[in-house]
Amino acid sequence: MHLNHVIESQQFTVPLLMELFDRTQQMEKVVARGGTRDYDDKIMASLFYKPSTRTRFSFEAAMRRLGGGVLSTERANEFSSEIKGEHLEDTIRLIANCSDVIVLRHTEEGAAKRASLISHVPVINAGEGSGGQHPTQALLDLYTIFRECRALNGLSVALIGALDKGRTARSLAYLLGKFERVKLFFVAPNEMQITGDILAYLDHHDVEYELSEDPTKVLSQVDVVYRTHIDRERLSKKEIDLSTYNITPDVLRRMKQNAIIMHPLPRTVEIDPAVDADPRAVYFRQSRNGLFVRMALLTLLFEEK
């Protein structure tokens, strides 16, 4: 399957996803034996204009496990030549000359696409803007669902949080919409509900969905609960009780026994730590899967070059 850059979830077909997941399972075995030196001639540039410990460490660990080298900056807006007024395109041209792949996290939506148009090495979108996409997070999320539920077709999934600007939930919705008989429940305060671009995509692909403010009406129905953060400071109605969206031991009793609970992390109050011991809580395994998925993704990109 042809893959030049990783910019958005929509670019992944079901066959490409299955190929990626097969390779991801191989990467689990590679890590178990201590990694490989197969890509010791490759260098990854980690160019982060916004801090993100989990995503950056996951990518850098993935490159190291493959035997390659890493060039890294976490606050590129302060430590790159952008502080002197250099355009993103010029930065990308220069970094592409000394690396084999660029992992870019940026404050502006559309930055990864801009970078891909002028880069002669693959560009990976590691999250951009507010309300943009985070496709590699969505890939590891989907892989986690695939591993834990043993299926993707026919699942019911609740996405809960500030969905209008939630990069991870938006990116995952695009991927889930590629599978058959999937039903999505978007659960959020009205002013943070999922936006029309996602709903138009789902309508176009005949994906069933419901919008709700009340998680209590949804949680007993779904196979997957995907909880994300809600920023109280963005709410115009401060009296809304956000605790009703949290996953607690009481909520567990209303959920299916074989359901799974996910979170892209970091969490604050969204999931009670008492939930961690429940076998349905998979968010730490979900985070570890990021290493394997990103290793697999890097190898796919290197093989295209």
Side-chain angles (χ1 to χ4, degrees):
M1 295 294 174
H2 197 61
L3 190 64
N4 289 325
H5 304 280
V6 178
I7 306 302
E8 59 184 12
S9 292
Q10 298 95 305
Q11 74 187 87
F12 286 86
T13 62
V14 171
L16 180 53
L17 288 168
M18 293 302 102
E19 179 182 347
L20 176 66
F21 290 173
D22 285 345
R23 189 171 295 223
T24 299
Q25 291 176 322
Q26 296 172 26
M27 293 302 110
E28 293 188 40
K29 297 175 183 177
V30 168
V31 171
R33 64 173 186 259
T36 180
R37 302 301 303 172
D38 288 352
Y39 297 89
D40 62 358
D41 61 336
K42 301 297 184 184
I43 294 174
M44 183 190 81
S46 175
L47 183 63
F48 278 52
Y49 288 79
K50 289 180 67 177
S52 177
T53 305
R54 277 152 296 280
T55 301
R56 185 169 65 90
F57 277 17
S58 179
F59 264 114
E60 293 182 7
M63 191 69 243
R64 297 286 191 185
R65 291 292 189 185
L66 292 171
V70 174
L71 306 173
S72 179
T73 179
E74 189 177 37
R75 305 178 75 172
N77 57 319
E78 297 178 21
F79 299 113
S80 77
S81 294
E82 185 176 278
I83 200 169
K84 301 176 183 177
E86 183 175 70
H87 294 296
L88 173 66
E89 284 79 0
D90 288 351
T91 301
I92 294 297
R93 287 186 178 98
L94 294 170
I95 292 177
N97 287 335
C98 55
S99 64
D100 300 286
V101 61
I102 299 171
V103 178
L104 175 66
R105 189 178 185 92
H106 206 277
T107 56
E108 297 178 14
E109 189 173 342
K113 180 66 173 179
R114 285 168 51 198
S116 71
L117 293 175
I118 52 87
S119 176
H120 64 269
V121 302
V123 172
I124 301 176
N125 180 358
E128 60 180 15
S130 177
Q133 285 208 40
H134 195 345
T136 67
Q137 177 69 48
L139 291 170
L140 75 89
D141 293 340
L142 190 71
Y143 179 71
T144 300
I145 297 171
F146 175 73
R147 290 283 277 170
E148 299 289 337
C149 298
R150 303 297 177 185
L152 290 169
N153 292 325
L155 290 177
S156 56
V157 181
L159 301 166
I160 305 174
L163 304 180
D164 59 334
K165 296 185 181 297
R167 290 187 301 258
T168 62
R170 289 168 53 83
S171 299
L172 181 57
Y174 278 124
L175 289 182
L176 288 167
K178 297 177 180 294
F179 293 89
E180 298 176 2
R181 305 182 316 283
V182 167
K183 182 170 183 179
L184 303 182
F185 294 85
F186 296 106
V187 185
N190 273 338
E191 60 190 293
M192 295 180 172
Q193 189 51 271
I194 198 71
T195 51
D197 54 339
I198 303 292
L199 299 183
Y201 175 88
L202 298 176
D203 286 335
H204 180 73
H205 290 84
D206 297 319
V207 179
E208 188 177 1
Y209 61 83
E210 288 186 18
L211 309 183
S212 176
E213 276 193 287
D214 186 359
T216 63
K217 297 178 179 179
V218 172
L219 291 174
S220 63
Q221 304 180 52
V222 298
D223 306 300
V224 179
V225 175
Y226 189 92
R227 181 67 165 93
T228 65
H229 186 62
I230 298 177
D231 304 307
R232 174 168 287 281
E233 59 272 18
R234 290 184 52 220
L235 287 171
S236 60
K237 297 179 180 178
K238 302 300 182 184
E239 69 275 12
I240 293 178
D241 183 8
L242 293 182
S243 67
T244 61
Y245 293 90
N246 295 345
I247 310 300
T248 65
D250 286 340
V251 170
L252 291 178
R253 287 189 278 273
R254 300 197 300 271
M255 290 176 54
K256 291 182 179 181
Q257 287 303 307
N258 61 345
I260 62 171
I261 304 165
M262 302 177 65
H263 193 299
L265 303 178
R267 66 171 168 183
T268 52
V269 299
E270 302 92 52
I271 301 178
D272 190 317
V275 173
D276 295 355
D278 192 284
R280 290 170 289 184
V282 304
Y283 29 88
F284 294 119
R285 294 200 294 275
Q286 173 189 352
S287 178
R288 180 161 173 76
N289 285 338
L291 171 65
F292 310 131
V293 169
R294 287 167 174 136
M295 288 174 68
L297 198 58
L298 287 167
T299 64
L300 280 175
L301 289 167
F302 290 145
E303 288 178 12
E304 291 294 337
K305 294 298 178 182

